Amino acid sequence: MAAPVFNQTREVIAAISISGVEIQIPKEKIEYYSTLVLDACQELSEKLKYI
């Protein structure tokens, strides 16, 4: 799972990702962890004045 981080000029300047085997990230938790990644990217993008 990965998502981009944007700067104030709407350029992708980084990404946050997580990975693991099914034992570490069971299928029923994928949506939960995806939300955490997206929230972290949005928060960082906001700090970089993207939004």
Side-chain angles (χ1 to χ4, degrees):
M1 293 168 255
V5 176
F6 297 96
N7 67 7
Q8 68 275 14
T9 60
R10 300 184 148 210
E11 295 174 308
V12 175
I13 59 163
I16 296 175
S17 67
I18 61 170
S19 63
V21 296
E22 189 172 352
I23 293 170
Q24 296 169 319
I25 305 176
K27 290 178 184 176
E28 61 270 6
K29 292 286 190 175
I30 289 176
E31 186 175 340
Y32 170 73
Y33 288 122
S34 297
T35 300
L36 292 178
V37 170
L38 289 171
D39 290 348
C41 288
Q42 183 174 356
E43 183 177 336
L44 186 53
S45 293
E46 287 173 1
K47 289 182 180 189
L48 294 170
K49 308 292 187 216
Y50 169 66
I51 300 173

Short mmCIF file of all heavy atoms in Angstrom, two decimals:
data_model
loop_
_atom_site.label_atom_id
_atom_site.label_comp_id
_atom_site.label_asym_id
_atom_site.label_seq_id
_atom_site.Cartn_x
_atom_site.Cartn_y
_atom_site.Cartn_z
N MET A 1 0.84 -1.16 0.00
CA MET A 1 0.00 0.00 0.00
C MET A 1 0.90 1.23 0.00
O MET A 1 1.87 1.27 0.74
CB MET A 1 -0.87 0.02 1.24
CG MET A 1 -1.89 -1.08 1.29
SD MET A 1 -2.63 -1.21 2.91
CE MET A 1 -1.81 -2.68 3.47
N ALA A 2 0.56 2.20 -0.83
CA ALA A 2 1.35 3.41 -0.91
C ALA A 2 0.47 4.57 -1.34
O ALA A 2 -0.57 4.36 -1.97
CB ALA A 2 2.50 3.24 -1.90
N ALA A 3 0.91 5.78 -0.99
CA ALA A 3 0.18 6.98 -1.40
C ALA A 3 1.20 8.11 -1.54
O ALA A 3 2.23 8.11 -0.86
CB ALA A 3 -0.90 7.33 -0.38
N PRO A 4 0.90 9.09 -2.41
CA PRO A 4 1.84 10.18 -2.64
C PRO A 4 1.71 11.30 -1.60
O PRO A 4 0.67 11.50 -0.99
CB PRO A 4 1.42 10.70 -4.02
CG PRO A 4 -0.05 10.42 -4.07
CD PRO A 4 -0.23 9.13 -3.33
N VAL A 5 2.80 12.05 -1.47
CA VAL A 5 2.83 13.27 -0.66
C VAL A 5 3.10 14.42 -1.64
O VAL A 5 4.02 14.34 -2.46
CB VAL A 5 3.96 13.22 0.39
CG1 VAL A 5 4.05 14.52 1.15
CG2 VAL A 5 3.73 12.05 1.35
N PHE A 6 2.28 15.46 -1.56
CA PHE A 6 2.38 16.59 -2.48
C PHE A 6 2.94 17.83 -1.78
O PHE A 6 2.72 18.03 -0.59
CB PHE A 6 1.00 16.94 -3.04
CG PHE A 6 0.38 15.85 -3.86
CD1 PHE A 6 -0.50 14.95 -3.29
CD2 PHE A 6 0.67 15.72 -5.20
CE1 PHE A 6 -1.08 13.94 -4.03
CE2 PHE A 6 0.10 14.72 -5.96
CZ PHE A 6 -0.78 13.81 -5.37
N ASN A 7 3.61 18.69 -2.56
CA ASN A 7 4.05 19.98 -2.02
C ASN A 7 3.08 21.07 -2.48
O ASN A 7 2.06 20.79 -3.09
CB ASN A 7 5.50 20.28 -2.43
CG ASN A 7 5.68 20.52 -3.91
OD1 ASN A 7 4.72 20.59 -4.67
ND2 ASN A 7 6.92 20.64 -4.33
N GLN A 8 3.42 22.32 -2.18
CA GLN A 8 2.51 23.43 -2.47
C GLN A 8 2.31 23.68 -3.97
O GLN A 8 1.35 24.33 -4.35
CB GLN A 8 2.98 24.72 -1.76
CG GLN A 8 4.26 25.30 -2.28
CD GLN A 8 5.52 24.70 -1.68
OE1 GLN A 8 5.48 23.67 -1.03
NE2 GLN A 8 6.64 25.33 -1.89
N THR A 9 3.18 23.15 -4.81
CA THR A 9 3.00 23.32 -6.26
C THR A 9 2.40 22.07 -6.91
O THR A 9 2.48 21.89 -8.11
CB THR A 9 4.34 23.67 -6.94
OG1 THR A 9 5.27 22.61 -6.70
CG2 THR A 9 4.89 24.98 -6.43
N ARG A 10 1.81 21.22 -6.08
CA ARG A 10 1.12 20.00 -6.52
C ARG A 10 2.05 18.96 -7.14
O ARG A 10 1.62 18.11 -7.92
CB ARG A 10 -0.02 20.33 -7.47
CG ARG A 10 -1.05 21.22 -6.86
CD ARG A 10 -2.21 21.47 -7.76
NE ARG A 10 -3.38 21.63 -6.88
CZ ARG A 10 -4.59 21.33 -7.20
NH1 ARG A 10 -4.87 20.89 -8.38
NH2 ARG A 10 -5.57 21.47 -6.34
N GLU A 11 3.31 19.02 -6.80
CA GLU A 11 4.26 18.02 -7.26
C GLU A 11 4.33 16.90 -6.22
O GLU A 11 4.31 17.16 -5.03
CB GLU A 11 5.64 18.62 -7.43
CG GLU A 11 5.74 19.68 -8.50
CD GLU A 11 7.11 20.32 -8.52
OE1 GLU A 11 7.58 20.77 -7.46
OE2 GLU A 11 7.70 20.36 -9.61
N VAL A 12 4.46 15.68 -6.71
CA VAL A 12 4.68 14.57 -5.80
C VAL A 12 6.15 14.62 -5.38
O VAL A 12 7.04 14.62 -6.22
CB VAL A 12 4.37 13.22 -6.48
CG1 VAL A 12 4.73 12.06 -5.55
CG2 VAL A 12 2.92 13.15 -6.89
N ILE A 13 6.37 14.74 -4.08
CA ILE A 13 7.74 14.86 -3.61
C ILE A 13 8.17 13.67 -2.74
O ILE A 13 9.35 13.55 -2.40
CB ILE A 13 7.96 16.16 -2.83
CG1 ILE A 13 7.01 16.22 -1.64
CG2 ILE A 13 7.79 17.37 -3.74
CD1 ILE A 13 7.41 17.23 -0.60
N ALA A 14 7.21 12.83 -2.40
CA ALA A 14 7.52 11.67 -1.56
C ALA A 14 6.34 10.71 -1.61
O ALA A 14 5.31 11.01 -2.21
CB ALA A 14 7.79 12.11 -0.12
N ALA A 15 6.51 9.60 -0.95
CA ALA A 15 5.42 8.64 -0.79
C ALA A 15 5.59 7.94 0.55
O ALA A 15 6.70 7.86 1.08
CB ALA A 15 5.44 7.62 -1.91
N ILE A 16 4.48 7.50 1.07
CA ILE A 16 4.50 6.69 2.29
C ILE A 16 3.92 5.34 1.91
O ILE A 16 2.90 5.26 1.21
CB ILE A 16 3.66 7.34 3.40
CG1 ILE A 16 4.28 8.69 3.80
CG2 ILE A 16 3.55 6.41 4.60
CD1 ILE A 16 3.47 9.47 4.82
N SER A 17 4.59 4.29 2.34
CA SER A 17 4.11 2.95 2.01
C SER A 17 4.30 2.00 3.18
O SER A 17 5.12 2.25 4.07
CB SER A 17 4.84 2.40 0.78
OG SER A 17 6.20 2.19 1.08
N ILE A 18 3.52 0.95 3.16
CA ILE A 18 3.70 -0.15 4.10
C ILE A 18 3.54 -1.44 3.31
O ILE A 18 2.87 -1.49 2.28
CB ILE A 18 2.70 -0.11 5.28
CG1 ILE A 18 1.26 -0.21 4.80
CG2 ILE A 18 2.90 1.12 6.13
CD1 ILE A 18 0.26 -0.42 5.93
N SER A 19 4.19 -2.47 3.79
CA SER A 19 4.04 -3.77 3.14
C SER A 19 4.25 -4.87 4.18
O SER A 19 4.80 -4.63 5.26
CB SER A 19 5.05 -3.93 2.00
OG SER A 19 6.38 -3.88 2.51
N GLY A 20 3.80 -6.01 3.85
CA GLY A 20 3.97 -7.15 4.74
C GLY A 20 3.32 -8.37 4.15
O GLY A 20 2.56 -8.29 3.19
N VAL A 21 3.63 -9.50 4.72
CA VAL A 21 3.02 -10.75 4.27
C VAL A 21 1.63 -10.86 4.89
O VAL A 21 1.28 -10.13 5.82
CB VAL A 21 3.90 -11.96 4.64
CG1 VAL A 21 5.22 -11.90 3.92
CG2 VAL A 21 4.12 -12.05 6.14
N GLU A 22 0.84 -11.78 4.40
CA GLU A 22 -0.56 -11.90 4.84
C GLU A 22 -0.69 -12.13 6.34
O GLU A 22 -1.64 -11.68 6.97
CB GLU A 22 -1.27 -13.01 4.07
CG GLU A 22 -2.75 -13.03 4.33
CD GLU A 22 -3.49 -14.00 3.44
OE1 GLU A 22 -2.88 -14.56 2.51
OE2 GLU A 22 -4.68 -14.20 3.70
N ILE A 23 0.27 -12.79 6.94
CA ILE A 23 0.22 -13.01 8.39
C ILE A 23 0.32 -11.67 9.13
O ILE A 23 -0.32 -11.46 10.15
CB ILE A 23 1.35 -13.96 8.83
CG1 ILE A 23 1.10 -15.35 8.27
CG2 ILE A 23 1.47 -14.00 10.35
CD1 ILE A 23 2.26 -16.30 8.45
N GLN A 24 1.13 -10.74 8.59
CA GLN A 24 1.31 -9.43 9.23
C GLN A 24 0.16 -8.48 8.92
O GLN A 24 -0.21 -7.66 9.75
CB GLN A 24 2.62 -8.80 8.76
CG GLN A 24 3.85 -9.57 9.18
CD GLN A 24 5.10 -9.08 8.48
OE1 GLN A 24 5.07 -8.79 7.29
NE2 GLN A 24 6.18 -8.98 9.22
N ILE A 25 -0.37 -8.56 7.72
CA ILE A 25 -1.46 -7.69 7.28
C ILE A 25 -2.57 -8.57 6.71
O ILE A 25 -2.65 -8.79 5.51
CB ILE A 25 -0.98 -6.66 6.23
CG1 ILE A 25 0.20 -5.85 6.74
CG2 ILE A 25 -2.12 -5.73 5.84
CD1 ILE A 25 0.80 -4.90 5.73
N PRO A 26 -3.44 -9.07 7.58
CA PRO A 26 -4.54 -9.91 7.09
C PRO A 26 -5.48 -9.13 6.17
O PRO A 26 -5.60 -7.91 6.27
CB PRO A 26 -5.28 -10.32 8.37
CG PRO A 26 -4.48 -9.82 9.51
CD PRO A 26 -3.45 -8.88 9.00
N LYS A 27 -6.13 -9.82 5.29
CA LYS A 27 -7.01 -9.19 4.30
C LYS A 27 -8.05 -8.28 4.94
O LYS A 27 -8.37 -7.22 4.42
CB LYS A 27 -7.70 -10.24 3.44
CG LYS A 27 -6.77 -10.94 2.50
CD LYS A 27 -7.48 -12.01 1.70
CE LYS A 27 -6.47 -12.75 0.84
NZ LYS A 27 -7.07 -13.85 0.12
N GLU A 28 -8.57 -8.67 6.09
CA GLU A 28 -9.60 -7.85 6.73
C GLU A 28 -9.06 -6.55 7.31
O GLU A 28 -9.82 -5.67 7.68
CB GLU A 28 -10.35 -8.65 7.81
CG GLU A 28 -9.50 -9.15 8.94
CD GLU A 28 -8.89 -10.53 8.71
OE1 GLU A 28 -9.01 -11.09 7.62
OE2 GLU A 28 -8.28 -11.01 9.67
N LYS A 29 -7.74 -6.40 7.37
CA LYS A 29 -7.13 -5.17 7.90
C LYS A 29 -6.59 -4.25 6.80
O LYS A 29 -6.14 -3.15 7.08
CB LYS A 29 -5.96 -5.52 8.83
CG LYS A 29 -6.38 -6.18 10.12
CD LYS A 29 -7.00 -5.18 11.05
CE LYS A 29 -7.20 -5.77 12.42
NZ LYS A 29 -7.70 -4.79 13.35
N ILE A 30 -6.66 -4.68 5.54
CA ILE A 30 -6.10 -3.88 4.45
C ILE A 30 -6.76 -2.51 4.36
O ILE A 30 -6.07 -1.50 4.23
CB ILE A 30 -6.19 -4.64 3.11
CG1 ILE A 30 -5.21 -5.81 3.13
CG2 ILE A 30 -5.91 -3.71 1.93
CD1 ILE A 30 -5.27 -6.71 1.93
N GLU A 31 -8.06 -2.45 4.45
CA GLU A 31 -8.74 -1.15 4.37
C GLU A 31 -8.33 -0.24 5.53
O GLU A 31 -8.10 0.94 5.34
CB GLU A 31 -10.26 -1.35 4.37
CG GLU A 31 -11.01 -0.05 4.15
CD GLU A 31 -12.51 -0.26 4.02
OE1 GLU A 31 -12.94 -1.38 3.72
OE2 GLU A 31 -13.24 0.72 4.22
N TYR A 32 -8.20 -0.81 6.71
CA TYR A 32 -7.78 -0.04 7.89
C TYR A 32 -6.39 0.55 7.68
O TYR A 32 -6.18 1.74 7.89
CB TYR A 32 -7.81 -0.94 9.13
CG TYR A 32 -7.18 -0.32 10.34
CD1 TYR A 32 -7.82 0.71 11.04
CD2 TYR A 32 -5.94 -0.75 10.79
CE1 TYR A 32 -7.23 1.29 12.15
CE2 TYR A 32 -5.35 -0.18 11.89
CZ TYR A 32 -6.00 0.84 12.57
OH TYR A 32 -5.40 1.42 13.67
N TYR A 33 -5.44 -0.29 7.28
CA TYR A 33 -4.07 0.20 7.08
C TYR A 33 -3.99 1.17 5.90
O TYR A 33 -3.22 2.13 5.94
CB TYR A 33 -3.10 -0.96 6.90
CG TYR A 33 -2.85 -1.72 8.18
CD1 TYR A 33 -3.11 -3.09 8.27
CD2 TYR A 33 -2.37 -1.09 9.31
CE1 TYR A 33 -2.90 -3.79 9.43
CE2 TYR A 33 -2.15 -1.78 10.49
CZ TYR A 33 -2.40 -3.12 10.55
OH TYR A 33 -2.19 -3.81 11.72
N SER A 34 -4.77 0.95 4.86
CA SER A 34 -4.79 1.88 3.73
C SER A 34 -5.25 3.26 4.18
O SER A 34 -4.68 4.28 3.77
CB SER A 34 -5.73 1.37 2.63
OG SER A 34 -5.27 0.17 2.10
N THR A 35 -6.25 3.30 5.04
CA THR A 35 -6.73 4.57 5.57
C THR A 35 -5.65 5.27 6.38
O THR A 35 -5.47 6.49 6.26
CB THR A 35 -7.99 4.34 6.45
OG1 THR A 35 -8.99 3.75 5.63
CG2 THR A 35 -8.52 5.64 7.02
N LEU A 36 -4.90 4.52 7.16
CA LEU A 36 -3.80 5.13 7.93
C LEU A 36 -2.75 5.74 7.01
O LEU A 36 -2.26 6.85 7.26
CB LEU A 36 -3.15 4.08 8.84
CG LEU A 36 -3.98 3.56 10.00
CD1 LEU A 36 -3.20 2.49 10.77
CD2 LEU A 36 -4.40 4.68 10.93
N VAL A 37 -2.41 5.03 5.94
CA VAL A 37 -1.42 5.55 4.98
C VAL A 37 -1.95 6.82 4.32
O VAL A 37 -1.24 7.83 4.23
CB VAL A 37 -1.05 4.48 3.93
CG1 VAL A 37 -0.21 5.08 2.81
CG2 VAL A 37 -0.30 3.32 4.59
N LEU A 38 -3.19 6.79 3.84
CA LEU A 38 -3.77 7.96 3.19
C LEU A 38 -3.86 9.15 4.14
O LEU A 38 -3.55 10.29 3.76
CB LEU A 38 -5.15 7.63 2.64
CG LEU A 38 -5.17 6.69 1.44
CD1 LEU A 38 -6.60 6.26 1.14
CD2 LEU A 38 -4.53 7.34 0.24
N ASP A 39 -4.25 8.91 5.38
CA ASP A 39 -4.33 10.00 6.36
C ASP A 39 -2.96 10.60 6.64
O ASP A 39 -2.82 11.82 6.75
CB ASP A 39 -4.96 9.50 7.67
CG ASP A 39 -6.43 9.19 7.54
OD1 ASP A 39 -7.05 9.56 6.52
OD2 ASP A 39 -6.97 8.56 8.48
N ALA A 40 -1.95 9.76 6.74
CA ALA A 40 -0.60 10.25 6.98
C ALA A 40 -0.11 11.10 5.81
O ALA A 40 0.49 12.17 6.01
CB ALA A 40 0.36 9.09 7.22
N CYS A 41 -0.39 10.67 4.59
CA CYS A 41 0.01 11.44 3.41
C CYS A 41 -0.73 12.77 3.35
O CYS A 41 -0.12 13.80 3.03
CB CYS A 41 -0.23 10.64 2.14
SG CYS A 41 0.93 9.29 1.94
N GLN A 42 -2.00 12.76 3.67
CA GLN A 42 -2.76 14.00 3.65
C GLN A 42 -2.24 14.97 4.71
O GLN A 42 -2.07 16.16 4.45
CB GLN A 42 -4.24 13.74 3.87
CG GLN A 42 -5.07 15.01 3.80
CD GLN A 42 -6.57 14.74 3.87
OE1 GLN A 42 -7.00 13.60 3.91
NE2 GLN A 42 -7.34 15.79 3.87
N GLU A 43 -1.96 14.47 5.89
CA GLU A 43 -1.45 15.33 6.96
C GLU A 43 -0.10 15.94 6.58
O GLU A 43 0.12 17.14 6.78
CB GLU A 43 -1.30 14.51 8.24
CG GLU A 43 -0.84 15.33 9.42
CD GLU A 43 -0.75 14.52 10.70
OE1 GLU A 43 -1.44 13.49 10.83
OE2 GLU A 43 0.02 14.93 11.58
N LEU A 44 0.78 15.14 6.02
CA LEU A 44 2.08 15.66 5.60
C LEU A 44 1.93 16.66 4.46
O LEU A 44 2.58 17.71 4.45
CB LEU A 44 3.01 14.51 5.21
CG LEU A 44 4.45 14.87 4.88
CD1 LEU A 44 5.10 15.70 5.98
CD2 LEU A 44 5.25 13.61 4.62
N SER A 45 1.07 16.37 3.50
CA SER A 45 0.82 17.29 2.39
C SER A 45 0.29 18.63 2.90
O SER A 45 0.69 19.70 2.43
CB SER A 45 -0.15 16.68 1.39
OG SER A 45 0.42 15.56 0.74
N GLU A 46 -0.60 18.58 3.89
CA GLU A 46 -1.13 19.81 4.47
C GLU A 46 -0.03 20.63 5.13
O GLU A 46 0.02 21.86 5.00
CB GLU A 46 -2.22 19.49 5.48
CG GLU A 46 -3.52 19.01 4.85
CD GLU A 46 -4.54 18.53 5.86
OE1 GLU A 46 -4.27 18.57 7.09
OE2 GLU A 46 -5.60 18.07 5.43
N LYS A 47 0.88 19.96 5.81
CA LYS A 47 2.00 20.66 6.44
C LYS A 47 2.93 21.29 5.41
O LYS A 47 3.62 22.26 5.71
CB LYS A 47 2.77 19.71 7.35
CG LYS A 47 1.98 19.37 8.60
CD LYS A 47 2.74 18.47 9.53
CE LYS A 47 1.86 18.19 10.74
NZ LYS A 47 2.58 17.49 11.79
N LEU A 48 2.92 20.73 4.20
CA LEU A 48 3.72 21.28 3.11
C LEU A 48 2.92 22.28 2.27
O LEU A 48 3.32 22.66 1.19
CB LEU A 48 4.24 20.15 2.22
CG LEU A 48 5.22 19.21 2.90
CD1 LEU A 48 5.49 18.01 2.03
CD2 LEU A 48 6.51 19.94 3.23
N LYS A 49 1.77 22.69 2.79
CA LYS A 49 0.89 23.71 2.20
C LYS A 49 0.24 23.27 0.90
O LYS A 49 -0.11 24.08 0.07
CB LYS A 49 1.65 25.02 1.97
CG LYS A 49 2.38 25.56 3.16
CD LYS A 49 1.43 26.01 4.23
CE LYS A 49 2.21 26.70 5.34
NZ LYS A 49 1.71 26.47 6.65
N TYR A 50 0.06 21.94 0.69
CA TYR A 50 -0.62 21.48 -0.51
C TYR A 50 -2.10 21.82 -0.48
O TYR A 50 -2.67 22.26 -1.45
CB TYR A 50 -0.44 19.98 -0.69
CG TYR A 50 -1.32 19.38 -1.77
CD1 TYR A 50 -1.11 19.74 -3.09
CD2 TYR A 50 -2.35 18.52 -1.47
CE1 TYR A 50 -1.92 19.22 -4.10
CE2 TYR A 50 -3.17 18.00 -2.47
CZ TYR A 50 -2.95 18.36 -3.77
OH TYR A 50 -3.74 17.85 -4.76
N ILE A 51 -2.75 21.63 0.64
CA ILE A 51 -4.20 21.81 0.72
C ILE A 51 -4.53 23.08 1.48
O ILE A 51 -3.96 23.41 2.45
CB ILE A 51 -4.85 20.59 1.38
CG1 ILE A 51 -4.52 19.36 0.54
CG2 ILE A 51 -6.33 20.77 1.54
CD1 ILE A 51 -4.93 18.05 1.16
#
